[in-house]
């Protein structure tokens, strides 16, 4: 699937803005919920899926461990 506003694309590694301790997520799907762009992400920390708005994510900076910051 292509990119969505906010430069989030399927397969990207991302982190949640302001929540680096949650670790790294992989973008699984780009969704639209009630006309708003959402993203289904997979957590490398606990293997759970979450659905969040695409603007709550940012590209994963270098050095962020997959399991989160200790």
């Amino acid at each position: 699937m292509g990119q969505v506003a906010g430069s989030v694309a399927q397969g990207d590694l991302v982190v949640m803005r302001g929540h680096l301790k949650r670790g790294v997520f992989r973008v699984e799907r780009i969704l639209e919920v009630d006309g708003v762009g959402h993203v289904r992400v997979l957590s490398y920390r606990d293997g759970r899926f979450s659905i969040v708005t695409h603007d709550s994510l940012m590209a994963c900076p270098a050095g962020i461990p997959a399991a989160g910051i200790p």
Side-chain angles (χ1 to χ4, degrees):
M1 191 173 275
Q3 290 193 326
V4 157
S7 299
V8 177
Q10 191 169 335
D12 285 354
L13 296 179
V14 295
V15 292
M16 291 193 186
R17 292 182 191 277
H19 299 281
L20 295 181
K21 290 183 180 183
R22 292 194 64 190
V24 178
F25 294 82
R26 183 178 69 224
V27 174
E28 293 293 312
R29 291 199 177 138
I30 307 294
L31 308 166
E32 186 176 315
V33 179
D34 294 330
V36 177
H38 283 70
V39 182
R40 180 180 180 212
V41 293
L42 171 67
S43 170
Y44 280 104
R45 183 175 192 173
D46 59 17
R48 294 182 183 180
F49 288 99
S50 298
I51 296 177
V52 298
T53 59
H54 65 80
D55 60 351
S56 67
L57 302 173
M58 64 183 218
C60 182
I64 299 295
I69 299 170

Coordinates of all heavy atoms in Angstrom, one line a residue:
M1 N 0.8 -1.2 0.0 CA 0.0 0.0 0.0 C 0.9 1.2 0.0 O 2.0 1.2 0.5 CB -0.9 0.0 1.2 CG -2.0 1.0 1.2 SD -3.1 0.8 2.6 CE -4.2 -0.4 1.9
G2 N 0.4 2.3 -0.5 CA 1.2 3.5 -0.7 C 1.3 4.3 0.6 O 0.8 3.9 1.7
Q3 N 2.0 5.5 0.5 CA 2.1 6.3 1.7 C 0.9 7.1 2.0 O 0.0 7.3 1.1 CB 3.3 7.2 1.4 CG 4.6 6.5 1.5 CD 5.8 7.5 1.6 OE1 5.7 8.6 1.1 NE2 6.8 7.1 2.2
V4 N 0.8 7.6 3.2 CA -0.3 8.4 3.7 C 0.3 9.7 4.2 O 1.5 9.7 4.5 CB -1.0 7.6 4.8 CG1 -1.8 8.5 5.7 CG2 -1.9 6.5 4.2
A5 N -0.5 10.7 4.3 CA -0.1 11.9 4.9 C 0.7 11.7 6.2 O 0.3 10.8 7.0 CB -1.2 12.9 5.1
G6 N 1.8 12.3 6.4 CA 2.6 12.1 7.5 C 3.8 11.2 7.2 O 4.5 10.8 8.1
S7 N 3.9 10.8 6.0 CA 5.0 9.9 5.5 C 5.1 8.6 6.3 O 6.2 8.1 6.6 CB 6.3 10.7 5.7 OG 6.3 11.8 4.8
V8 N 4.0 8.0 6.6 CA 3.9 6.7 7.2 C 3.5 5.7 6.1 O 2.5 5.9 5.5 CB 2.9 6.6 8.4 CG1 2.9 5.2 9.0 CG2 3.3 7.6 9.5
A9 N 4.4 4.6 5.9 CA 4.1 3.7 4.9 C 4.1 2.2 5.5 O 4.8 2.0 6.5 CB 5.1 3.8 3.8
Q10 N 3.4 1.3 4.9 CA 3.5 -0.1 5.3 C 4.9 -0.6 5.3 O 5.7 -0.3 4.4 CB 2.6 -0.9 4.4 CG 2.3 -2.3 4.9 CD 1.3 -3.0 4.0 OE1 0.5 -2.4 3.4 NE2 1.3 -4.3 4.0
G11 N 5.3 -1.2 6.4 CA 6.6 -1.8 6.6 C 7.6 -0.9 7.3 O 8.6 -1.3 7.7
D12 N 7.2 0.4 7.5 CA 8.1 1.3 8.2 C 8.3 0.9 9.6 O 7.4 0.4 10.3 CB 7.6 2.7 8.2 CG 7.7 3.4 6.8 OD1 8.3 2.9 5.9 OD2 7.1 4.5 6.7
L13 N 9.5 1.2 10.2 CA 9.7 1.1 11.6 C 9.5 2.5 12.2 O 10.0 3.5 11.8 CB 11.1 0.6 11.9 CG 11.5 -0.8 11.4 CD1 12.9 -1.1 11.7 CD2 10.5 -1.8 12.0
V14 N 8.7 2.5 13.3 CA 8.2 3.8 13.9 C 8.3 3.7 15.4 O 8.3 2.6 16.0 CB 6.8 4.2 13.4 CG1 6.8 4.5 11.9 CG2 5.8 3.1 13.7
V15 N 8.2 4.8 16.0 CA 8.0 4.9 17.5 C 6.8 5.9 17.7 O 6.5 6.7 16.8 CB 9.2 5.4 18.2 CG1 10.3 4.4 18.2 CG2 9.7 6.8 17.7
M16 N 6.2 5.8 18.9 CA 5.1 6.7 19.2 C 5.7 8.0 19.8 O 6.6 8.0 20.6 CB 4.2 6.1 20.2 CG 3.4 5.0 19.6 SD 2.0 4.5 20.6 CE 1.5 3.0 19.7
R17 N 5.2 9.1 19.2 CA 5.7 10.4 19.7 C 5.5 10.6 21.2 O 4.4 10.3 21.7 CB 5.0 11.6 19.0 CG 5.2 11.7 17.5 CD 4.5 12.9 16.9 NE 4.5 12.8 15.5 CZ 5.5 13.3 14.8 NH1 6.6 13.8 15.4 NH2 5.5 13.2 13.5
G18 N 6.6 10.9 21.9 CA 6.5 11.1 23.3 C 6.5 9.8 24.2 O 6.3 9.9 25.4
H19 N 6.6 8.7 23.5 CA 6.5 7.4 24.2 C 7.6 6.4 23.8 O 7.4 5.3 23.4 CB 5.2 6.7 24.0 CG 4.0 7.6 24.5 ND1 3.7 7.6 25.8 CD2 3.2 8.4 23.8 CE1 2.6 8.4 26.0 NE2 2.3 8.9 24.8
L20 N 8.9 6.9 23.7 CA 10.0 6.1 23.3 C 10.2 4.8 24.1 O 10.6 3.8 23.6 CB 11.3 6.9 23.2 CG 11.3 8.1 22.2 CD1 12.7 8.8 22.3 CD2 11.0 7.6 20.8
K21 N 9.7 4.9 25.4 CA 9.9 3.7 26.2 C 9.0 2.5 25.7 O 9.3 1.4 26.1 CB 9.5 4.0 27.7 CG 10.5 4.9 28.3 CD 10.2 5.2 29.7 CE 11.3 6.1 30.3 NZ 11.1 6.3 31.7
R22 N 8.1 2.8 24.9 CA 7.2 1.7 24.3 C 8.0 0.9 23.3 O 7.5 -0.1 22.8 CB 5.9 2.2 23.8 CG 5.0 2.7 24.9 CD 3.6 3.0 24.5 NE 3.0 1.8 24.1 CZ 1.8 1.7 23.5 NH1 1.2 2.8 23.3 NH2 1.3 0.6 23.2
G23 N 9.1 1.4 22.8 CA 9.9 0.7 21.8 C 9.5 0.9 20.4 O 8.7 1.8 20.1
V24 N 10.0 0.0 19.6 CA 9.8 0.1 18.1 C 8.6 -0.7 17.7 O 8.3 -1.8 18.2 CB 11.1 -0.5 17.4 CG1 10.9 -0.5 15.9 CG2 12.3 0.3 17.8
F25 N 7.9 -0.1 16.7 CA 6.7 -0.7 16.1 C 6.9 -0.8 14.6 O 7.7 0.0 14.0 CB 5.4 0.2 16.3 CG 5.0 0.3 17.7 CD1 5.6 1.2 18.6 CD2 4.0 -0.5 18.2 CE1 5.2 1.3 19.9 CE2 3.6 -0.4 19.5 CZ 4.2 0.5 20.4
R26 N 6.3 -1.8 14.0 CA 6.3 -1.9 12.5 C 4.9 -1.6 12.0 O 3.9 -2.1 12.5 CB 6.7 -3.3 12.1 CG 6.8 -3.4 10.5 CD 7.3 -4.8 10.0 NE 6.3 -5.7 10.3 CZ 6.5 -6.9 10.8 NH1 7.7 -7.3 11.1 NH2 5.5 -7.8 11.1
V27 N 4.8 -0.8 11.0 CA 3.5 -0.4 10.4 C 3.0 -1.6 9.6 O 3.7 -2.1 8.6 CB 3.7 0.8 9.4 CG1 2.4 1.1 8.7 CG2 4.1 2.0 10.2
E28 N 1.9 -2.2 9.9 CA 1.3 -3.3 9.3 C 0.3 -2.9 8.2 O 0.3 -3.6 7.2 CB 0.7 -4.2 10.3 CG 1.7 -4.9 11.3 CD 2.6 -5.9 10.6 OE1 2.1 -6.7 9.9 OE2 3.8 -5.8 10.8
R29 N -0.5 -2.0 8.6 CA -1.6 -1.6 7.6 C -1.9 -0.1 7.8 O -1.9 0.5 8.9 CB -2.9 -2.3 7.9 CG -2.8 -3.8 7.5 CD -4.1 -4.4 7.3 NE -3.9 -5.8 6.9 CZ -4.6 -6.8 7.4 NH1 -5.6 -6.6 8.2 NH2 -4.4 -8.0 6.9
I30 N -2.3 0.5 6.7 CA -2.8 1.9 6.7 C -4.3 1.8 6.6 O -4.8 1.1 5.7 CB -2.2 2.7 5.5 CG1 -0.7 2.6 5.4 CG2 -2.7 4.1 5.5 CD1 0.0 3.3 6.5
L31 N -5.0 2.5 7.5 CA -6.4 2.4 7.6 C -7.1 3.8 7.6 O -6.4 4.8 7.8 CB -6.8 1.7 8.9 CG -6.2 0.4 9.2 CD1 -6.4 0.1 10.7 CD2 -6.8 -0.7 8.4
E32 N -8.3 3.8 7.3 CA -9.1 5.1 7.4 C -10.3 4.7 8.3 O -11.1 3.8 8.0 CB -9.6 5.6 6.1 CG -10.2 6.9 6.2 CD -10.6 7.4 4.8 OE1 -9.8 7.4 3.9 OE2 -11.8 7.9 4.7
V33 N -10.4 5.5 9.4 CA -11.5 5.3 10.3 C -12.3 6.6 10.4 O -11.7 7.6 10.9 CB -11.0 4.9 11.7 CG1 -12.1 4.7 12.7 CG2 -10.2 3.6 11.6
D34 N -13.5 6.6 10.0 CA -14.3 7.9 10.0 C -13.6 9.0 9.3 O -13.7 10.1 9.8 CB -14.7 8.3 11.4 CG -15.6 7.2 12.1 OD1 -16.4 6.6 11.3 OD2 -15.6 7.1 13.3
G35 N -13.0 8.7 8.2 CA -12.3 9.7 7.4 C -11.0 10.2 7.9 O -10.4 11.1 7.4
V36 N -10.5 9.6 9.0 CA -9.2 10.0 9.6 C -8.2 8.8 9.4 O -8.5 7.7 9.6 CB -9.3 10.2 11.1 CG1 -8.0 10.6 11.8 CG2 -10.4 11.3 11.4
G37 N -7.0 9.2 9.0 CA -5.9 8.2 8.7 C -5.5 7.6 10.0 O -5.1 8.2 11.0
H38 N -5.5 6.2 10.1 CA -5.0 5.5 11.2 C -4.0 4.4 10.7 O -4.0 4.1 9.5 CB -6.2 4.7 11.9 CG -7.0 5.6 12.8 ND1 -7.8 6.6 12.3 CD2 -7.1 5.7 14.1 CE1 -8.4 7.2 13.3 NE2 -8.0 6.6 14.4
V39 N -3.3 3.9 11.6 CA -2.2 2.9 11.3 C -2.3 1.7 12.2 O -2.5 1.9 13.5 CB -0.8 3.6 11.4 CG1 0.3 2.6 11.0 CG2 -0.7 4.8 10.6
R40 N -2.3 0.5 11.7 CA -2.2 -0.7 12.5 C -0.7 -1.0 12.7 O 0.0 -1.2 11.7 CB -2.9 -1.8 11.9 CG -2.8 -3.1 12.7 CD -3.6 -4.2 12.0 NE -3.5 -5.4 12.8 CZ -3.5 -6.6 12.3 NH1 -3.6 -6.8 11.0 NH2 -3.5 -7.7 13.1
V41 N -0.2 -1.0 13.9 CA 1.2 -1.2 14.2 C 1.4 -2.5 15.0 O 0.6 -2.8 15.8 CB 1.9 0.0 14.9 CG1 1.9 1.2 13.9 CG2 1.2 0.3 16.2
L42 N 2.6 -3.1 14.8 CA 2.9 -4.3 15.6 C 4.1 -3.9 16.5 O 5.1 -3.4 16.1 CB 3.4 -5.4 14.7 CG 4.0 -6.7 15.4 CD1 3.0 -7.4 16.2 CD2 4.6 -7.6 14.3
S43 N 4.0 -4.2 17.8 CA 5.0 -3.9 18.8 C 6.0 -5.0 18.8 O 5.7 -6.1 19.0 CB 4.4 -3.7 20.2 OG 5.4 -3.7 21.2
Y44 N 7.3 -4.6 18.7 CA 8.4 -5.5 18.8 C 8.6 -5.8 20.3 O 9.3 -6.8 20.6 CB 9.7 -5.0 18.2 CG 9.7 -5.1 16.7 CD1 9.5 -4.1 15.8 CD2 10.0 -6.4 16.1 CE1 9.5 -4.2 14.5 CE2 10.0 -6.5 14.7 CZ 9.8 -5.5 13.9 OH 9.8 -5.6 12.6
R45 N 8.1 -5.1 21.2 CA 8.3 -5.3 22.6 C 7.5 -6.4 23.1 O 7.9 -7.3 23.8 CB 8.0 -4.0 23.4 CG 8.2 -4.1 24.8 CD 8.0 -2.8 25.5 NE 8.5 -2.9 26.9 CZ 8.6 -1.9 27.7 NH1 8.2 -0.7 27.3 NH2 9.1 -2.0 28.9
D46 N 6.2 -6.4 22.8 CA 5.3 -7.5 23.3 C 4.5 -8.2 22.3 O 3.7 -9.1 22.6 CB 4.4 -6.9 24.4 CG 3.5 -5.8 23.9 OD1 3.3 -5.6 22.6 OD2 2.9 -5.0 24.7
G47 N 4.7 -7.9 21.0 CA 4.0 -8.7 19.9 C 2.5 -8.3 19.8 O 1.8 -9.0 19.1
R48 N 2.1 -7.2 20.4 CA 0.7 -6.8 20.3 C 0.5 -5.8 19.1 O 1.4 -5.1 18.8 CB 0.2 -6.2 21.6 CG 0.2 -7.1 22.7 CD -0.3 -6.4 23.9 NE -0.3 -7.3 25.1 CZ -0.7 -7.0 26.3 NH1 -1.1 -5.8 26.5 NH2 -0.6 -7.9 27.2
F49 N -0.7 -5.8 18.6 CA -1.1 -4.9 17.6 C -1.8 -3.7 18.3 O -2.6 -3.9 19.2 CB -2.1 -5.5 16.6 CG -1.4 -6.5 15.6 CD1 -1.5 -7.9 15.9 CD2 -0.7 -6.1 14.6 CE1 -0.8 -8.8 15.0 CE2 0.0 -6.9 13.7 CZ -0.1 -8.3 14.0
S50 N -1.7 -2.5 17.7 CA -2.4 -1.4 18.2 C -2.8 -0.6 16.9 O -2.2 -0.7 15.9 CB -1.5 -0.4 19.0 OG -1.1 -1.1 20.2
I51 N -3.9 0.2 17.1 CA -4.3 1.1 16.0 C -4.3 2.5 16.6 O -4.9 2.8 17.6 CB -5.8 0.7 15.5 CG1 -5.8 -0.7 14.9 CG2 -6.3 1.8 14.5 CD1 -7.1 -1.2 14.5
V52 N -3.5 3.3 15.9 CA -3.2 4.7 16.3 C -3.4 5.6 15.1 O -3.3 5.2 14.0 CB -1.8 4.8 16.9 CG1 -1.7 4.0 18.2 CG2 -0.7 4.5 16.0
T53 N -3.5 6.9 15.4 CA -3.5 7.9 14.3 C -2.1 8.0 13.7 O -1.2 7.9 14.5 CB -4.1 9.2 14.7 OG1 -3.2 9.7 15.8 CG2 -5.5 9.2 15.2
H54 N -2.0 8.2 12.4 CA -0.7 8.3 11.8 C 0.1 9.4 12.3 O 1.3 9.3 12.4 CB -0.8 8.3 10.3 CG -1.4 9.5 9.7 ND1 -0.8 10.7 9.6 CD2 -2.7 9.7 9.3 CE1 -1.6 11.6 9.0 NE2 -2.8 11.0 8.9
D55 N -0.5 10.5 12.8 CA 0.3 11.6 13.3 C 0.8 11.4 14.7 O 1.6 12.2 15.2 CB -0.5 12.9 13.2 CG -1.8 12.9 14.0 OD1 -2.2 11.9 14.5 OD2 -2.4 14.0 14.1
S56 N 0.5 10.3 15.3 CA 1.0 10.0 16.6 C 2.3 9.2 16.5 O 3.0 8.9 17.5 CB 0.0 9.2 17.5 OG -0.2 7.9 16.9
L57 N 2.7 8.9 15.3 CA 4.0 8.2 15.0 C 5.0 9.0 14.4 O 4.7 10.0 13.7 CB 3.6 7.0 14.1 CG 2.6 6.0 14.5 CD1 2.3 5.0 13.4 CD2 3.0 5.3 15.8
M58 N 6.3 8.6 14.5 CA 7.4 9.2 13.8 C 8.4 8.1 13.5 O 8.4 7.0 14.1 CB 8.1 10.3 14.7 CG 8.7 9.8 16.0 SD 9.4 11.2 16.9 CE 10.9 10.4 17.5
A59 N 9.2 8.4 12.5 CA 10.2 7.4 12.1 C 11.1 7.1 13.3 O 11.4 7.9 14.1 CB 11.1 8.0 10.9
C60 N 11.5 5.8 13.3 CA 12.3 5.3 14.4 C 13.7 5.9 14.3 O 14.4 5.7 13.4 CB 12.4 3.8 14.3 SG 13.3 3.1 15.7
P61 N 14.1 6.7 15.4 CA 15.5 7.2 15.4 C 16.5 6.1 15.6 O 16.2 5.1 16.3 CB 15.5 8.2 16.5 CG 14.2 8.1 17.2 CD 13.3 7.1 16.5
A62 N 17.7 6.3 15.1 CA 18.8 5.3 15.3 C 19.0 5.1 16.8 O 18.9 6.1 17.6 CB 20.0 5.8 14.7
G63 N 19.3 3.9 17.2 CA 19.6 3.6 18.6 C 18.5 3.3 19.6 O 18.7 3.0 20.7
I64 N 17.2 3.3 19.1 CA 16.1 2.9 19.9 C 16.0 1.4 19.9 O 15.8 0.8 18.9 CB 14.8 3.6 19.4 CG1 14.9 5.1 19.4 CG2 13.6 3.1 20.2 CD1 15.0 5.7 20.8
P65 N 16.1 0.8 21.1 CA 16.0 -0.7 21.1 C 14.6 -1.2 20.9 O 13.6 -0.5 21.3 CB 16.5 -1.1 22.5 CG 16.4 0.2 23.3 CD 16.4 1.3 22.4
A66 N 14.4 -2.3 20.3 CA 13.1 -2.8 20.0 C 12.3 -3.0 21.2 O 11.1 -2.8 21.2 CB 13.2 -4.1 19.2
A67 N 12.9 -3.4 22.3 CA 12.2 -3.7 23.5 C 11.9 -2.5 24.4 O 11.4 -2.5 25.4 CB 13.0 -4.7 24.4
G68 N 12.3 -1.3 23.9 CA 12.1 -0.1 24.7 C 13.3 0.3 25.5 O 14.3 -0.5 25.7
I69 N 13.3 1.5 25.9 CA 14.4 2.1 26.7 C 14.3 1.6 28.1 O 13.3 1.7 28.7 CB 14.4 3.6 26.6 CG1 14.5 4.1 25.2 CG2 15.5 4.2 27.5 CD1 14.3 5.6 25.0
P70 N 15.4 1.0 28.6 CA 15.4 0.5 30.0 C 15.1 1.6 31.0 O 15.4 2.7 30.8 CB 16.7 -0.1 30.2 CG 17.5 0.1 29.1 CD 16.7 0.8 28.0

